Amino acid sequence: MIDKNKQTNESILNTNLNEQVHTLVKEFSMACKKAAIYGSTHPLSKKAIQKPFLLIDKIFRYKKYINFNLQNGYLYLLNIRLKDSVFNEELIKFMQMLDIKAFTLEKHLTLGELEKFIFRFVTRIDRSNHDELITSYLKSEKIDTVEVNTEHAYNIFE
């Protein structure tokens, strides 16, 4: 009989975070694209957001935070610089539109909170109206598992 702790440790050691990060960016980008096209009430949008949520949940077995950082035109996820792809470009575009340099997802993130964040992430707004900033939105929705442009989000990025 295989010891459960040994099995967990072996699976953790055999995990390639680089592959998981690139898969997460692909699924996150696709979910953002569908959310932007179909809106928050469409079943395709909701279904698309479940895929990155499952990947995020998988990464949370190893990490307490998942950080996305934009530096010098490159996207970093878990401090891993991502290879250039159309998926990265899509996320970079959304981050630049909202003037986001870094955002962090915390381990206790729920599917509902991720849905709200993604729908707000892809919504075009007037950046001069401070009431519509994404940080104000997160506070009004009482979402504390997502941090945007905070000192903590910058500190996690090495």
Side-chain angles (χ1 to χ4, degrees):
M1 184 162 193
I2 298 175
D3 183 22
K4 187 174 182 175
N5 289 336
K6 184 177 180 183
Q7 186 179 15
T8 303
N9 289 338
E10 286 180 21
S11 69
I12 288 172
L13 290 173
N14 291 330
T15 301
N16 185 342
L17 277 178
N18 190 25
E19 287 177 8
Q20 286 193 355
V21 161
H22 282 85
T23 304
L24 174 58
V25 165
K26 176 185 173 195
E27 294 300 335
F28 195 84
S29 175
M30 294 296 291
C32 288
K33 188 88 167 167
K34 287 182 181 179
I37 293 170
Y38 297 115
S40 62
T41 58
H42 201 279
L44 281 177
S45 297
K46 292 185 178 278
K47 186 176 180 182
I49 292 172
Q50 290 175 355
K51 289 181 182 178
F53 180 75
L54 292 174
L55 291 167
I56 288 168
D57 196 43
K58 204 175 195 181
I59 292 173
F60 280 148
R61 292 192 328 207
Y62 320 110
K63 300 286 187 178
K64 187 176 180 180
Y65 301 101
I66 297 176
N67 59 315
F68 290 74
N69 293 78
L70 187 58
Q71 186 177 35
N72 298 330
Y74 294 105
L75 185 62
Y76 293 81
L77 180 55
L78 292 177
N79 299 340
I80 298 171
R81 182 176 159 186
L82 299 172
K83 299 174 191 168
D84 290 335
S85 73
V86 293
F87 305 112
N88 297 2
E89 291 172 13
E90 192 72 23
L91 288 180
I92 289 170
K93 182 178 72 171
F94 285 124
M95 290 176 75
Q96 288 175 336
M97 283 191 309
L98 294 172
D99 199 26
I100 295 175
K101 301 285 186 247
F103 69 90
T104 303
L105 308 174
E106 192 179 302
K107 193 170 192 160
H108 305 293
L109 179 74
T110 65
L111 179 59
E113 291 172 336
L114 182 63
E115 281 180 356
K116 289 178 183 179
F117 172 69
I118 287 178
F119 290 126
R120 180 60 189 84
F121 185 68
V122 299
T123 303
R124 295 178 186 250
I125 54 119
D126 178 15
R127 287 193 305 190
S128 63
N129 184 354
H130 293 289
D131 293 333
E132 291 192 18
L133 293 177
I134 195 162
T135 53
S136 302
Y137 172 78
L138 293 172
K139 282 182 186 175
S140 70
E141 291 291 324
K142 295 179 176 60
I143 299 174
D144 58 351
T145 54
V146 179
E147 295 181 16
V148 176
N149 291 342
T150 62
E151 186 175 339
H152 181 252
Y154 291 120
N155 288 339
I156 291 176
F157 183 65
E158 297 173 354

